[in-house]
Amino acid sequence: MIEIKNISKHYGNLKVLEHLNCTIQDGLIYGLVGANGSGKSTLLRIINGIYLPDEGEIKMDGENVLENETMKQNIVFVPDDLFFYPGYTIHDMAKFYAAVYQKFDMTYLEKLASILKLDTKKKISTFSKGMKRQCALILAIATNARYMFFDETFDGVDPVVRTVLKKILAKHMEEKKSTIVLTSHNLRELEDIADNLGLLYQGGILFEGEIDEIKTNMFKVQISLKEDFDEKTFKEIEIMNFKKVGSIATMIVKGEEKEIDKKLSKLKPIILDYLPLSLEEIFIYQMEVLGYEFNEIISL
């Protein structure tokens, strides 16, 4: 388990992280979403013991990572700005990783490279941006580290390969019981792979939750009644957004569908339909309730 307690990090007068708290449970994929410059990279570097926080502490399995060689065997970090030694091939980089990580699996790496059609004996410098990202990801996965951190995970990767990489990550997490933290400025990139999502804004976690729970506890309702009505008619229901056009209202409601349906059915509606919301829509309405503009926080 990763425990992030009261973390603050400033660069001069610039406050990047401010009293941030977050707990990431074991054996899941945690997506950290935020606009460019929101502090995602800084947070990952602090978690991995690369940067020191100005305040607070971070522990993995109850231990500090900084100057902890045993714990560092269990973590791997792929930054946004990738680095490969000049002239190195994937195979050369693999030998370097194997010297650092005792559980590095060369056979597994070769298998992943084959799936992605990457030549392990070709110089990485000749690869495209997206291919370099793929190289970094499979090298990290082959370490078999318990905790894996990927910054701007799929940057430059085309949609088809992105889907393959997501399947590889999900399968690895399930088989190895690893914990994977992914960051992105784009919510859609993480929606179909993350188990939990956290929204980083102005130095802290503005909103987080388990995706399945978020999706099942908020939905869209279209309703029409025999008599005239307005939002006050539904005072027993938690309404996040209400719009009425003619005799039909569309509401974004929060709660358990069975309980909502029971309350609405008592009004004997002429029309009553329940529609699912995309994760993007849920975040938009959540941000509106909190008084924020969704498009200012993350990219579509």
Side-chain angles (χ1 to χ4, degrees):
M1 181 171 66
I2 304 170
E3 298 172 279
I4 304 169
K5 299 178 180 178
N6 202 40
I7 289 293
S8 294
K9 183 67 177 177
H10 303 163
Y11 298 108
N13 294 325
L14 178 63
K15 297 179 180 180
V16 180
L17 301 173
E18 191 72 10
H19 303 299
L20 185 148
N21 292 280
C22 179
T23 299
I24 301 174
Q25 299 295 333
D26 288 339
L28 54 74
I29 297 178
Y30 188 96
L32 187 62
V33 188
N36 291 326
S38 62
K40 302 187 300 297
S41 299
T42 297
L43 179 58
L44 289 195
R45 282 172 168 81
I46 292 174
I47 292 174
N48 283 273
I50 299 169
Y51 290 173
L52 281 172
D54 296 327
E55 293 181 70
E57 65 174 0
I58 293 179
K59 291 189 175 182
M60 291 187 197
D61 298 337
E63 296 186 36
N64 290 312
V65 175
L66 197 67
E67 305 299 335
N68 188 332
E69 291 185 15
T70 302
M71 181 54 66
K72 286 189 176 183
Q73 275 288 318
N74 292 314
I75 63 176
V76 65
F77 171 47
V78 177
D80 182 25
D81 49 337
L82 301 177
F83 172 80
F84 301 101
Y85 286 107
Y88 268 38
T89 64
I90 295 177
H91 191 262
D92 293 330
M93 286 299 300
K95 288 191 286 185
F96 172 77
Y97 272 69
V100 176
Y101 290 95
Q102 297 173 2
K103 296 180 182 178
F104 190 87
D105 190 335
M106 192 70 75
T107 303
Y108 187 29
L109 174 74
E110 295 283 355
K111 179 182 177 181
L112 295 176
S114 176
I115 291 171
L116 295 168
K117 296 180 174 56
L118 295 171
D119 188 342
T120 59
K121 292 181 172 56
K122 188 175 180 179
K123 290 183 180 180
I124 297 173
S125 59
T126 64
F127 290 167
S128 67
K129 178 182 178 181
M131 293 171 71
K132 289 176 181 176
R133 179 67 58 180
Q134 294 171 54
C135 293
L137 287 171
I138 64 173
L139 283 162
I141 293 169
T143 65
N144 286 307
R146 267 191 72 193
Y147 295 99
M148 299 185 171
F149 302 87
F150 302 100
D151 195 10
E152 292 297 343
T153 319
F154 307 110
D155 186 31
V157 180
D158 71 66
V160 175
V161 176
R162 190 179 304 163
T163 300
V164 175
L165 286 171
K166 287 180 179 180
K167 289 179 179 178
I168 290 171
L169 285 170
K171 184 177 180 181
H172 182 84
M173 184 273 293
E174 186 176 344
E175 291 182 349
K176 303 293 183 177
K177 308 303 177 187
S178 55
T179 301
I180 300 173
V181 180
L182 313 174
T183 78
S184 179
H185 61 276
N186 190 323
L187 177 60
R188 291 174 185 165
E189 274 193 351
L190 302 181
E191 178 174 359
D192 59 349
I193 186 174
D195 299 299
N196 288 53
L197 273 177
L199 180 57
L200 186 59
Y201 181 64
Q202 293 187 343
I205 300 293
L206 181 62
F207 171 77
E208 69 175 335
E210 186 179 333
I211 288 183
D212 288 342
E213 185 177 333
I214 293 170
K215 285 186 172 182
T216 55
N217 284 346
M218 194 184 304
F219 45 91
K220 185 184 297 184
V221 176
Q222 287 186 330
I223 189 168
S224 179
L225 304 177
K226 292 178 181 178
E227 299 177 359
D228 191 32
F229 65 95
D230 57 20
E231 187 173 351
K232 294 178 182 177
T233 307
F234 312 100
K235 58 185 179 182
E236 294 184 2
I237 296 171
E238 185 177 353
I239 299 174
M240 304 186 73
N241 186 276
F242 182 91
K243 291 179 181 178
K244 186 181 178 186
V245 179
S247 61
I248 299 177
T250 300
M251 305 185 294
I252 306 301
V253 299
K254 194 172 183 180
E256 293 186 13
E257 187 173 335
K258 288 183 179 179
E259 290 300 315
I260 300 294
D261 186 63
K262 189 184 296 183
K263 292 174 182 177
L264 292 179
S265 295
K266 288 179 182 178
L267 300 173
K268 298 181 179 179
I270 301 169
I271 296 172
L272 181 57
D273 292 321
Y274 296 91
L275 305 170
L277 291 170
S278 68
L279 194 60
E280 182 183 306
E281 289 176 306
I282 290 171
F283 267 63
I284 288 172
Y285 293 118
Q286 288 281 9
M287 293 308 98
E288 286 180 354
V289 169
L290 294 170
Y292 297 97
E293 179 61 42
F294 176 81
N295 292 336
E296 293 178 359
I297 298 176
I298 57 178
S299 302
L300 299 177

